[in-house]
Every structure is written in C-alpha cells, then in structure tokens.
C-alpha cells in the first residue's frame, strides 16, 4: 500500500492562480529552503491555503523522510488550468522523485507534489527465457487498461495468473523505488509454464477518472474482475485455471475479486492486510518515526494530525479530502472500511495461497496471525511465511525501512517458486 510518508506520493496542497513569469526561480528557492532545513522560510512562500493545509512541521517530516538530497535534474515547466507547474527531478538518498511545484501569479507556491520518478523501460526479455511478452489490454467500459501478457513457450493452453496491485497509482510492473515486483513475478512464473497478465492500474492510466467520489471497487475490484474474464477467454490460456494474485491492498481485495470473477479458480493473498487500512496507516508511520529510537516533536505533530484525519475518515460526518488521510475522498475510505476481508475469504469456496514476509512493516505479522485465526481448519488454504522478506518480497536483514525501498532488488525466487508450485497443483 502507498502511505504518505512511505512512498512519496502525497498530494500536499493545490489551489488556483495565474501564470507567473519566473516559476523556475520560485521552485528553486523553495527546494533550496527545504534542502537547508529552512522549513519556516519555505512555508513563508506558500499561499494562505497551502500554508493552512501543510504546516511547516508536517512539511519537514515529509521532506526528511526522503533522506539527503543528492542531485537535481533539469526542470520542465508547463501551464495547467492557468497555473505554472515546475516539474523538477530530484535524486534523494531514498530514491528518485519529481517535485511538482505550482506557482501562482503572485510568485507564491500554491501546491507541491512529490511523485516517484517515472521508471525506465522494462528490460527486454532475455534470450532463451522460455517465454515471450505480448500486449494485452484489459477491456472496460470506462476505458481499456494497457497490459502485458507473459506467455510460456510450448503447447498451451497454460494456467494463468492475474496480478492485482497494492494501493495508490501503480504501473503494470508495480514499480516501487528501485524494484519491480510484478515484473519479477510475471517473468518468474512464465519461465515455469504459467501465463501472467499485468496491467496499468486505472488510477495510473486514467487519473482524470478519480477527481471526484469513487470507491475501492471503482479503483481495483471491477478492473481485476474484467482482467480475469478477458484472460480466461484467451485461446492461449486454460480458462478453468486462472488465478488472482493480489499484493498488499490487492491481496486484501483478492477474495472479493475471486468471488465476483466466475472464471477465477482461486486466489493468492500476498502481504494482505487483515485489518482496515486506516489502522495500518497510523501503525506504519509510528513504526517509521520510531526506528531511530525516539519520536521528535515535529514527528509527533504529524502523527497527531494523521490521527485526526483518520478519525474524520471513519466518521459519518462529512469531510473534505483536505481533512482526510492522503487527500483521498471520504467515499473511498468508507468503501474500504466496509470491506471485511477475513469474512470474504472465509466465504470464498475456492483454494487460497497465503504469503507473508517476516520483515514486512507495512502489513506485519499481526495481520498474518489474524488470517490464520480466520481461516483455521481450511484444508484448501496453503500458508508460507518467509522470515527474511520485506513487503516487496525482497530478502534483507534487520528492521525494514524506507531506505531499503530505494535500493534496487528482486522478488525472492522462493516466493516465485512457491506460487508456481501451488498453481500447478490446482487441477
């Protein structure tokens, strides 16, 4: 799942204004202040609405979570809705991001967004890999989603897997920092005779569709159900052996997807939350802030604000996105809170494979235990926990952290082999 302080996709604020002749200078000064730790000076550059939405202490916590700023690329300037937007590539110790600075007619900063830098093109399929990759779009009334199907060589039809993303806008490879978990999973399974479909998440391919109210089904479930149906109908695939593999939020939704997709043979829940995401959101941020042994006053202020936002998200009283976690509309949080993943998994009359990393701080062993309690006695559920793996399925040692996410890594082959063995065993 994508969390504000975790994966750098937080929309900090946004207002309207008019173009300014020198937006580059304004953006450069803002970044200079933030790099030097002058958050009060940075806040002084904000519009009133921006300053109210993002106090200096909160801004400092978010900026510091990126690590040291190591280098700056060449900025690009565009005009959007009468505003000048400066997109500045920045390389931090914890990964590469693009800072989008919105400048109004009074040379004030009206918005700031930190996005992970766009990934480079996926490496080509290695020679003699035993599989090929072809374009495969997921058809939907709201617009098709571009995808890639990894097809094993040889005589089909093949068993197949649909990959369902974690939270936030995700590309088909589920690129996070220097890693591409879905690319590793897809190619690893395809090399073992299993076709795999990965596709662009709707919030990534069509962000314009998420400006107003929307639900978790709009964002995730409906497209995954459509992907299963499309894949099952493909002549290269054994339509009776199509499986849903959900990661993180996708894992939480996998029982619902497998229930609604008649063609789904079973579900694989990888690092799946057993609790609601709001509970995990608070827990994750406290974990990160406590890694150095203490929580500063600035960090505590951030946590207090987050707690208030979480309470507003849980409340039935109307709240604006600015008053809620991650700036996401209340309808979305309410739709997530209505998901009882454990109950849906218990009701699913299809086999399941449960996967967990022992170093996962985003979905910790607390959730693993809850899953085991909920599905106790199910003979059609297989369990596999890997002590050394983090949330992305990458092996490491010690406490997992954001810095680890910034380093390039690959999904452990043991996890891939476990999935392949389980899929092949389902007849």
């Amino acid at each position: 799942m994508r969390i504000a302080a975790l994966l750098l996709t937080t929309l900090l604020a946004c207002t309207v204004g008019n173009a300014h002749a020198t937006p580059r200078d304004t953006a450069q000064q803002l970044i200079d202040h933030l790099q030097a730790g002058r958050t009060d000076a940075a806040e002084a550059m904000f519009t009133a609405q921006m300053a109210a939405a993002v106090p200096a202490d909160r801004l400092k916590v978010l900026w510091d979570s990126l690590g040291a700023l190591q280098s700056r690329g060449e900025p690009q300037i565009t005009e959007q809705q009468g505003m000048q937007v400066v997109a500045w590539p920045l390389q931090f110790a914890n990964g590469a991001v693009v800072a989008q600075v919105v400048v109004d007619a009074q040379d004030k900063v009206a918005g700031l967004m930190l996005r992970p830098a766009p990934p480079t093109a996926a490496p080509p399929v290695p020679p003699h890999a035993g599989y090929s990759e072809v374009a495969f779009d997921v058809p939907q009334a709201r617009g098709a989603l571009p995808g890639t199907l990894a097809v094993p060589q040889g005589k089909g039809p093949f068993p197949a897997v649909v990959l369902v993303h974690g939270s936030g806008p995700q590309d088909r490879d589920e690129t996070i920092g220097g890693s591409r978990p879905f690319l590793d999973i897809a190619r690893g399974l395809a090399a073992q005779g299993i076709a795999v479909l990965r596709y662009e998440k709707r919030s990534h391919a069509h962000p314009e569709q998420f400006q107003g109210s929307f639900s978790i089904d709009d964002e995730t479930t409906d497209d995954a159900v459509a992907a299963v149906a499309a894949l099952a109908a493909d002549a290269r695939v054994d339509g009776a052996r199509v499986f849903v593999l959900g990661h993180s939020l996708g894992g939480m939704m996998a029982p619902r997807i497998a229930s609604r997709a008649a063609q789904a043979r079973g579900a694989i829940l990888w690092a799946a939350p057993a609790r609601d995401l709001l509970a995990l959101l608070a827990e994750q941020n406290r974990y990160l802030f406590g890694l150095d042994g203490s929580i500063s006053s600035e960090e505590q202020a951030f946590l207090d604000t987050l707690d208030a936002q979480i309470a507003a998200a849980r409340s039935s009283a109307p709240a604006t996105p600015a008053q809620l976690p991650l700036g996401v509309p209340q309808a979305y949080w309410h739709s997530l809170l209505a998901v009882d993943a454990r109950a849906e998994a218990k009701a699913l009359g299809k086999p399941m494979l449960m996967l967990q990393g022992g170093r996962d701080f985003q979905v910790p062993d607390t959730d693993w235990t809850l899953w085991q309690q909920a599905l106790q006695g199910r003979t059609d559920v297989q369990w596999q926990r890997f002590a050394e793996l983090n949330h992305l399925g990458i092996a490491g040692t010690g406490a997992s952290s954001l810095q680890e996410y910034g380093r390039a890594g690959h999904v452990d082959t043991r996890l891939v082999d476990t999935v392949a063995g389980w899929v092949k065993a389902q007849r």
Side-chain angles (χ1 to χ4, degrees):
M1 61 186 60
R2 294 278 177 95
I3 304 303
L6 301 187
L7 300 179
L8 322 179
T9 60
T10 303
L11 177 62
L12 299 182
C14 187
T15 67
V16 295
N18 299 313
H20 187 271
T22 58
R24 188 184 193 281
D25 294 339
T26 301
Q28 180 172 325
Q29 185 179 21
L30 175 68
I31 294 170
D32 288 344
H33 285 325
L34 293 172
Q35 183 179 12
R38 299 188 295 265
T39 48
D40 288 341
E43 186 181 38
M45 299 179 65
F46 295 169
T47 62
Q49 184 176 349
M50 175 75 172
V54 190
D57 54 358
R58 181 182 175 194
L59 178 61
K60 183 179 188 303
V61 170
L62 290 170
W63 188 265
D64 289 349
S65 72
L66 305 173
L69 178 57
Q70 298 173 337
S71 63
R72 309 183 192 191
E74 187 61 30
Q76 295 185 345
I77 303 173
T78 58
E79 182 175 342
Q80 297 180 14
Q81 298 178 343
M83 299 179 289
Q84 295 294 315
V85 181
V86 183
W88 209 313
L90 304 174
Q91 179 63 53
F92 289 88
N94 294 343
V97 306
V98 175
Q100 292 184 318
V101 183
V102 182
V103 183
D104 74 3
Q106 289 71 46
D107 200 21
K108 288 289 189 179
V109 175
L112 173 63
M113 181 181 289
L114 304 175
R115 292 186 179 277
T120 57
V125 174
H128 313 297
Y131 62 89
S132 61
E133 291 183 336
V134 296
F136 191 107
D137 291 354
V138 176
Q140 260 282 38
R142 292 185 296 152
L145 299 175
T148 300
L149 178 64
V151 185
Q153 293 177 357
K155 181 176 174 57
F158 303 100
V161 170
V162 172
L163 302 181
V164 183
H165 322 73
S167 61
Q170 300 267 14
D171 64 23
R172 71 190 71 191
D173 295 334
E174 204 184 36
T175 303
I176 299 174
S179 303
R180 298 176 175 182
F182 277 9
L183 180 68
D184 294 340
I185 293 284
R187 292 184 171 181
L189 293 180
Q192 299 190 51
I194 300 168
V196 182
L197 173 61
R198 63 192 197 273
Y199 57 91
E200 306 287 311
K201 192 172 180 180
R202 182 162 300 277
S203 52
H204 177 83
H206 298 287
E208 73 282 356
Q209 296 181 5
F210 296 88
Q211 301 304 311
S213 178
F214 59 92
S215 71
I216 182 60
D217 290 338
D218 296 327
E219 182 205 32
T220 298
T221 311
D222 295 345
D223 291 325
V225 170
V228 171
L231 188 58
D234 191 276
R236 293 163 290 193
V237 167
D238 181 349
R241 299 176 68 199
V242 177
F243 301 86
V244 177
L245 190 161
H247 179 223
S248 195
L249 172 65
M252 187 179 82
M253 301 307 299
R256 175 176 294 191
I257 295 164
S259 175
R260 295 184 181 180
Q263 304 88 343
R265 175 71 177 83
I268 302 163
L269 283 67
W270 171 25
R275 296 171 286 166
D276 71 74
L277 298 194
L278 290 172
L280 289 173
L281 178 59
E283 190 175 286
Q284 291 162 358
N285 281 276
R286 282 178 167 78
Y287 168 90
L288 289 173
F289 290 146
L291 279 176
D292 60 0
S294 64
I295 295 179
S296 69
S297 58
E298 292 88 355
E299 292 168 340
Q300 187 58 54
F302 177 91
L303 293 172
D304 292 343
T305 299
L306 179 61
D307 287 342
Q309 293 174 333
I310 290 173
R314 293 188 182 280
S315 174
S316 59
T320 65
Q323 298 171 308
L324 301 169
L326 311 182
V328 175
Q330 194 173 40
Y332 179 79
W333 290 117
H334 284 177
S335 73
L336 268 177
L337 291 171
V339 175
D340 188 338
R342 281 175 280 168
E344 294 186 5
K346 289 174 66 175
L348 181 66
K350 300 178 180 182
M352 287 177 282
L353 171 63
M354 312 294 292
L355 303 172
Q356 178 70 19
R359 298 177 57 253
D360 188 340
F361 71 83
Q362 290 188 247
V363 183
D365 279 340
T366 299
D367 294 78
W368 182 244
T369 299
L370 290 171
W371 280 118
Q372 290 178 315
Q373 293 171 352
L375 299 174
Q376 186 176 13
R378 285 279 295 267
T379 59
D380 60 346
V381 179
Q382 180 176 322
W383 305 84
Q384 187 65 59
R385 180 181 179 275
F386 304 91
E388 306 88 352
L389 304 193
N390 66 10
H391 188 65
L392 307 183
I394 298 170
T397 58
S400 185
S401 67
L402 284 180
Q403 286 81 356
E404 185 177 10
Y405 284 17
R407 298 190 294 268
H410 293 283
V411 174
D412 194 282
T413 55
R414 293 172 299 166
L415 189 149
V416 177
D417 291 345
T418 298
V419 174
W422 183 83
V423 167
K424 292 178 181 180
Q426 309 306 312
R427 298 292 180 178

